[in-house]
Amino acid sequence: MATLLYRLGRASYRRAWIVITAWALVVAGVLGGGLALGGQFDETFTIPGTESQDALDTLDALFPEVSGASAQAVVVAPEGESVDDPAVRDEIDLLIERVSDVAQVTNVLGPFDEFAGDQVSDDGTVAIVQVQLDGAATDISEESLAALTASGDGLDSRVEFAGQVFQDTTVGITPIEVLGVLFAGVVLVITFGSLRAAGMPLVSALVGVAIVMGAIMALTAVTPVSSSAPLLALMIGLAVGIDYALFILSRHRGQLARGEDPEESAAIAVGTAGSAVVFAGVTVIIALLGLLVVGIPFLSVMGVGAAVAVFIAIAAAVTLVPAMLGLAGAKLAPKEGSRAWKRAHPVASTRPTMGRRWVRGVMKRPIVTTVAVVAVLGTLSIPTFSLDLNLPDGGSEPAGSTQREAYDLIADAFGPGTAGPLLVTLDITQTVDVLEDLEAVRGELEQVEGVASVGQGIPSPGLETAILQVAPEFAPDAPETKQVVADIRAIADDIEQEYGTPLAVTGVTAVGIDISTRLTNALVPFALIVVGLSIVLLMAVFRSVLVPVKAALGFLLSVGTGMGVTVAVFQWGWGADLLHAEPGPILSFMPIILMAVLFGLAMDYEVFLVSGMREEFVRTGDPQRSIEDGFANGAHVVTAAALIMVFVFAAFVPEGAGVIKPIALGLAVGIAVDAFVVRMTLGPALMTLFGRAGWWFPRSLDRALPDLDIEGEKLRHHRDHVVWASGRQGVIVAEGLALEGVDAVLDLHADAGARVHFAGPSALRRLAAATLAGHVEPAAGRALVAGAVLPSEAGRVARRVALVDVGGERIAPAVTVGALVSERLALAAGRPRRARLTRDWLAELDAALRGLGEESTAARRALRAPSTPVAALDGRTRALLLAAVATIDRTPVIVLDHRDDALDAASTELVDALVVALAPRGTVRIWGRPEGEAAPRGAVVARLMPRRSGAAEASTAEGSSTETSAAAAGATPTGATPAGTTAAGSRPEPDAPGTVPHSDRLASAAAPTAKDDRS
């Protein structure tokens, strides 16, 4: 990973304008497409598979008159009058007439109609007019809503309107959010002390945000998208976009301060810091995509949108940022004596940095620090246990709005449950006395504890289903209302058995309860998945058991504190007025989003700090010193990153949308606590207590888990190998290359066009060949093969070396000459097979054999016939064919081997001559030959020497090679390999000829210092 990012960073640096132009085109294209295709945001909260949603779907099919959105017109008689007074009743009739004329209104039920139920308050001062509309709440136009509210104008009675259609659940960006970006800019300027450097993370983040916003707008044209989705993506995209660019840029400037070349520094920064960015970003993406398992569509869209924002932020950090570094060049180098310069030269400053002073204080009192942090955060987490989840209703609307006024009027006059009634549906297809059974079921429902009233049953026109409106005694978002729904569902089986009428509970309130219940039930499993994932990932990164456990437990403290503060403010009402918030239940999906986002960010800070500690521990072996030095190197980056994120999220709290406020506050508090308290205070204290045990890792786990190497250790080795290779000449140069599981090393030098003679046991030859071809990692040492270095560029080496077993004994009987050749030609050309190309190549092969003096007309005739089975060829002819096919890939190196008794010396010479004739000029041929066989004249002889001697031998047989030296280069396509050959770039199958079985690849020790014995 680090090496790949190193190359990517260097390429982006060198081609800065191309990269920047490409990003600009992507921004323009995606934004333009989003604006052109963008539809409307859909604020409908649905939860497929629940009883409430299934019942709504049934009503939509069988009783569409009541399945759409509804509203309530609340009429308040003038003071001293009653709604029963003739004058007031006339106004109610006029109101009903006006409402009936409004577009999209399908039915109006007055308070005195037959099926109205108890729609007049006990004191006679308030009446409710029920309004049914056509379509879901999101389908009702603004014009219809305006006409509906205007229908009460000019009346002496007071008229207010309630209902889901009047709830403003849309969210948008306000100028206050811009303050978050401005605060981030201030922090960056202070961190870098340079306007040029401070602007780069902002540009990277804004580019990423623009792309994801355009993509989400385009997505609204094909699928329902909540307006919360782009706002959440905006928050996360800004935060991580700035954060990731900051980490890479900080590493780059530190290296410039130490005198590194700007281009090399940019590549190293992307390779090392970029690896941490990719790892941290992937953890955020995994956590956000974990929202898909909850099974709620609008939440899934929010999670996917935010995950895309993180992915784009990663891509911008590892490509756009190095491109901007390329434009700036050496201008980003800190001035001598500046804070950035002093951090890069700690010995040059007599006064330790603030980060070093802080960690020293923590390490002096680790027990006190640990106890204090756990006690304080545990106390702040206590409100979390009172968490009450629900969706917003009329009671959470802004004070003074018509929907809030209507909600309060209904709650005061009829009871809070009437403001959010339940809808009970009955399947009446099996009953013979519909009205009588509806009355009986109504009586059963009235007996349920917590039910205030039950309306008269209303059957559908086709007598398939019926509805009863149930008003609980409690508010829609009250915990008691959830119990009422549960109790009604509990008696559903008894009602069905007695009356033959299956029952379901639905309506806006029931849907909200079902969503909250599903999310609440998903919290614990989701938390276990996230915590378990964090432990496994951090084990793979840090090769430690205690460090991941410490990080996971710290994450739980951060989540608990963030949720606890949110509950205290938005549920208990502590300081809610300061944030212009209405106390009430917490938004249902707030906790799970908080956990997903905070998990990823917590891993960011853990990686940024602890990776430095591990790097120092690996280098020095001193656990205490590694804590101090690692913390001091990363503290300023984590501080700046955390402050930026806190400002970005906090900016959404004071004047943000009601849906976003709790999420933004929880994230702002959680990030501040996680960065400054958990990671920068509790973390060093616990690491001090752990001591050397903090880096203990069982061997079984070390073998089982991949080494992610985010510290860039393999990148450092790669750079050393590249420097070593720059001073070497030749197509193949191997120095001290130790074979895995074998007590032997290989030293070899082969120039262009050389023939290498490698005699030895078959298994050993093939292990050496697989190692030189990049398929088996060497135990130690290094090699330059066709311009790529081993072991750090094994993939590139594999694409430049072809392995072929010219014996071909294991080729399937059905494989023909034409099939073998056409398949290899198709793979090499990257296009479908063509019979003409196969015939032309076979003709070229025949001409080459004729030019070499091959007189066997039978062999040449067999090779010219595409239908000839390869297995039917004699050993000599088959070897000629397979060796010739290996040249199609045009690789600079071809390794040829066979069973020891498969070819005699004369046949080997003919095959080698054919390879020279068909392969590009300068191709190196490595021949595996039986042990003890003499090398041909002019060949380079390669022999393995015991590792304990530290020497290997490579000599040239007497005489000189007839091949002239020339540079050779070739590109080899990847893909399937015909039987009998192994293409460059493909992994050989276990136990296949020319390879070593995986079971034979044993662990090996470090190699001694290599010697360069060439002759």
Side-chain angles (χ1 to χ4, degrees):
M1 172 64 75
T3 305
L4 174 64
L5 292 175
Y6 170 84
R7 297 194 189 107
L8 182 62
R10 181 184 291 276
S12 299
Y13 186 99
R14 291 177 173 176
R15 299 166 179 82
W17 281 116
I18 295 177
V19 173
I20 292 172
T21 301
W23 276 100
L25 291 175
V26 171
V27 170
V30 175
L31 267 182
L35 293 174
L37 300 176
Q40 296 293 323
F41 289 110
D42 187 350
E43 306 306 322
T44 303
F45 296 112
T46 60
I47 180 166
T50 59
E51 178 181 313
S52 58
Q53 189 62 48
D54 291 343
L56 282 179
D57 295 340
T58 300
L59 285 178
D60 187 48
L62 302 178
F63 203 170
E65 293 85 356
V66 298
S67 66
S70 62
Q72 297 165 313
V74 183
V75 181
V76 183
E79 188 172 354
E81 298 184 37
S82 169
V83 294
D84 290 317
D85 294 343
V88 178
R89 292 193 66 160
D90 290 342
E91 288 193 335
I92 293 175
D93 292 339
L94 178 59
L95 175 66
I96 293 173
E97 182 181 346
R98 291 178 178 177
V99 171
S100 300
D101 293 335
V102 174
Q104 295 185 281
V105 172
T106 59
N107 186 43
V108 181
L109 187 64
F112 306 106
D113 291 349
E114 178 183 0
F115 294 103
D118 299 329
Q119 299 300 295
V120 177
S121 64
D122 293 338
D123 61 4
T125 60
V126 181
I128 300 176
V129 176
Q130 298 289 346
V131 181
Q132 194 68 36
L133 297 106
D134 182 18
T138 54
D139 297 331
I140 309 304
S141 66
E142 293 294 333
E143 293 76 12
S144 296
L145 293 179
L148 193 60
T149 55
S151 61
D153 295 345
L155 302 179
D156 292 333
S157 300
R158 176 185 175 190
V159 180
E160 302 290 350
F161 289 88
Q164 189 182 21
V165 291
F166 291 102
Q167 291 183 16
D168 185 13
T169 56
T170 59
V171 295
I173 303 171
T174 63
I176 195 70
E177 278 82 49
V178 180
L179 291 178
V181 179
L182 296 179
F183 282 135
V186 172
V187 172
L188 290 171
V189 171
I190 295 174
T191 301
F192 292 124
S194 165
L195 289 175
R196 182 185 289 107
M200 291 183 180
L202 289 177
V203 171
S204 176
L206 292 175
V207 165
V209 165
I211 293 174
V212 75
M213 296 296 279
I216 292 177
M217 284 190 292
L219 190 62
T220 59
V222 295
T223 188
V225 178
S226 167
S227 60
S228 302
L231 194 57
L232 181 64
L234 172 64
M235 288 195 303
I236 295 177
L238 274 177
V240 300
I242 294 173
D243 191 7
Y244 296 162
L246 165 66
F247 192 48
I248 292 175
L249 184 57
S250 178
R251 178 68 63 91
H252 175 63
R253 297 189 79 229
Q255 292 167 170
L256 290 180
R258 290 188 288 271
E260 188 69 69
D261 174 72
E263 179 180 327
E264 185 68 11
S265 174
I268 296 172
V270 175
T272 53
S275 295
V277 164
V278 171
F279 167 76
V282 168
T283 60
V284 182
I285 291 173
I286 292 173
L288 289 170
L289 293 181
L291 298 176
L292 294 171
V293 303
V294 180
I296 299 178
F298 74 88
L299 194 59
S300 298
V301 173
M302 291 177 68
V304 171
V308 171
V310 176
F311 175 79
I312 295 173
I314 297 172
V318 298
T319 56
L320 181 59
V321 170
M324 291 188 288
L325 298 181
L327 296 183
K331 297 177 183 177
L332 290 175
K335 294 181 180 179
E336 187 173 348
S338 64
R339 289 194 305 272
W341 187 89
K342 291 179 180 178
R343 282 194 294 266
H345 300 83
V347 295
S349 177
T350 57
R351 184 185 180 189
T353 62
M354 181 180 294
R356 193 175 292 273
R357 294 198 301 272
W358 175 264
V359 74
R360 285 175 179 175
V362 170
M363 294 173 68
K364 286 181 181 178
R365 303 171 183 83
I367 297 179
V368 174
T369 301
T370 301
V371 173
V373 168
V374 173
V376 171
L377 297 187
T379 302
L380 292 175
S381 300
I382 290 176
T384 304
F385 296 99
S386 301
L387 185 65
D388 181 22
L389 301 179
N390 220 316
L391 291 178
D393 56 25
S396 60
E397 292 297 316
S401 62
T402 184
Q403 58 268 37
R404 177 60 181 275
E405 294 294 325
Y407 180 90
D408 292 340
L409 287 171
I410 294 174
D412 293 340
F414 297 90
T418 307
L422 304 172
L423 202 62
V424 174
T425 66
L426 294 170
D427 182 351
I428 58 175
T429 56
Q430 303 302 316
T431 182
V432 294
D433 194 339
V434 174
L435 295 179
E436 182 178 337
D437 286 346
L438 287 179
E439 278 301 314
V441 172
R442 180 184 182 187
E444 296 277 359
L445 295 175
E446 288 176 337
Q447 300 303 314
V448 176
E449 184 178 355
V451 171
S453 64
V454 181
Q456 188 173 352
I458 304 175
S460 64
L463 298 181
E464 301 98 343
T465 187
I467 61 169
L468 296 97
Q469 185 169 284
V470 178
E473 296 177 356
F474 313 100
D477 56 7
E480 293 83 358
T481 301
K482 298 178 182 178
Q483 187 59 47
V484 171
V485 173
D487 291 343
I488 293 176
R489 288 171 173 170
I491 65 173
D493 290 340
D494 295 338
I495 290 176
E496 181 178 359
Q497 290 179 4
E498 184 171 353
Y499 304 104
T501 55
L503 177 150
V505 183
T506 186
V508 175
T509 300
V511 169
I513 290 173
D514 285 346
I515 290 177
S516 301
T517 301
R518 175 172 288 189
L519 287 169
T520 301
N521 294 338
L523 277 179
V524 173
F526 184 74
L528 292 176
I529 291 173
V530 168
V531 171
L533 175 66
S534 69
I535 291 176
V536 173
L537 288 177
L538 290 177
M539 279 185 179
V541 170
F542 296 124
R543 323 308 287 179
S544 166
V545 173
L546 291 179
V547 169
V549 172
K550 178 260 303 179
L553 295 178
F555 163 69
L556 294 179
L557 282 175
S558 301
V559 169
T561 303
M563 287 188 183
V565 172
T566 304
V567 168
V569 173
F570 287 95
Q571 188 173 314
W572 294 356
W574 294 1
D577 292 340
L578 298 177
L579 301 179
H580 304 159
E582 290 290 334
I586 301 298
L587 192 67
S588 298
F589 49 86
M590 175 267 179
I592 204 163
I593 289 181
L594 174 69
M595 292 171 61
V597 177
L598 189 56
F599 163 72
L601 301 180
M603 294 305 102
D604 283 359
Y605 306 141
E606 183 74 12
V607 169
F608 292 169
L609 283 174
V610 181
S611 60
M613 297 180 189
R614 172 168 172 76
E615 187 175 348
E616 290 296 325
F617 178 76
V618 171
R619 187 175 65 86
T620 65
D622 185 344
Q624 301 301 313
R625 179 182 172 185
S626 66
I627 296 171
E628 179 180 328
D629 290 346
F631 184 94
N633 291 334
H636 71 286
V637 177
V638 172
T639 300
L643 285 176
I644 289 170
M645 291 200 171
V646 169
F647 285 141
V648 169
F649 287 124
F652 288 85
V653 177
E655 299 297 336
V659 176
I660 292 295
K661 277 186 178 185
I663 300 175
L665 178 64
L667 286 173
V669 172
I671 290 168
V673 168
D674 191 84
F676 301 119
V677 182
V678 173
R679 307 301 161 191
M680 300 180 70
T681 305
L682 180 61
L686 289 175
M687 293 297 292
T688 303
L689 295 175
F690 294 158
R692 188 174 294 275
W695 302 110
W696 173 77
F697 199 52
R699 290 186 178 180
S700 58
L701 289 178
D702 190 35
R703 291 191 296 268
L705 294 176
D707 186 0
L708 300 182
D709 187 36
I710 65 170
E711 297 95 350
E713 183 178 354
K714 293 181 180 179
L715 173 59
R716 288 190 291 273
H717 292 163
H718 168 70
R719 295 179 64 226
D720 292 341
H721 293 163
V722 170
V723 172
W724 165 82
S726 64
R728 302 300 189 275
Q729 299 294 327
V731 177
I732 299 178
V733 180
E735 293 184 1
L737 195 68
L739 305 185
E740 185 179 8
V742 179
D743 185 23
V745 295
L746 172 67
D747 280 8
L748 175 64
H749 182 99
D751 291 322
R755 175 178 176 178
V756 178
H757 178 82
F758 189 5
S762 175
L764 190 59
R765 296 195 315 259
R766 291 168 178 173
L767 174 60
T771 303
L772 278 176
H775 299 304
V776 176
E777 185 173 355
R782 51 198 174 185
L784 172 67
V785 180
V789 295
L790 285 175
S792 58
E793 293 182 318
R796 296 179 67 189
V797 170
R799 291 189 294 272
R800 300 177 184 185
V801 178
L803 298 175
V804 56
D805 180 1
V806 295
E809 290 84 357
R810 297 180 62 181
I811 294 180
V815 177
T816 63
V817 171
L820 180 69
V821 173
S822 62
E823 182 179 356
R824 176 50 54 198
L825 287 171
L827 291 172
R831 55 176 179 260
R833 305 178 185 181
R834 295 182 180 178
R836 182 179 59 81
L837 292 177
T838 301
R839 290 194 300 270
D840 291 347
W841 189 88
L842 290 175
E844 181 182 350
L845 171 61
D846 183 68
L849 289 172
R850 190 169 57 252
L852 294 173
E854 172 59 28
E855 300 297 338
S856 175
T857 56
R860 288 169 50 195
R861 185 167 54 252
L863 291 178
R864 283 198 303 269
S867 60
T868 303
V870 176
L873 300 174
D874 62 79
R876 179 173 176 274
T877 306
R878 186 165 58 241
L880 289 170
L881 173 65
L882 295 177
V885 167
T887 66
I888 293 176
D889 291 324
R890 305 187 67 78
T891 57
V893 179
I894 299 177
V895 180
L896 305 102
D897 210 324
H898 52 83
R899 197 182 68 244
D900 286 351
D901 58 351
L903 288 179
D904 57 25
S907 298
T908 302
E909 292 300 317
L910 178 61
V911 172
D912 185 70
L914 179 63
V915 171
V916 172
L918 294 177
R921 183 174 179 178
T923 299
V924 174
R925 296 98 59 214
I926 301 178
W927 275 95
R929 299 296 294 162
E931 189 172 12
E933 181 177 301
R937 182 181 179 85
V940 175
V941 178
R943 293 190 181 94
L944 290 172
M945 298 298 291
R947 290 181 62 187
R948 57 181 176 270
S949 69
E953 181 180 345
S955 60
T956 304
E958 289 186 8
S960 60
S961 172
T962 58
E963 299 290 339
T964 58
S965 178
T972 305
T974 58
T977 304
T981 65
T982 300
S986 65
R987 295 284 177 177
E989 297 180 358
D991 304 326
T995 66
V996 178
H998 290 287
S999 59
D1000 293 340
R1001 300 176 188 173
L1002 308 176
S1004 56
T1009 303
K1011 296 181 180 180
D1012 189 9
D1013 298 333
R1014 301 173 186 166
S1015 58

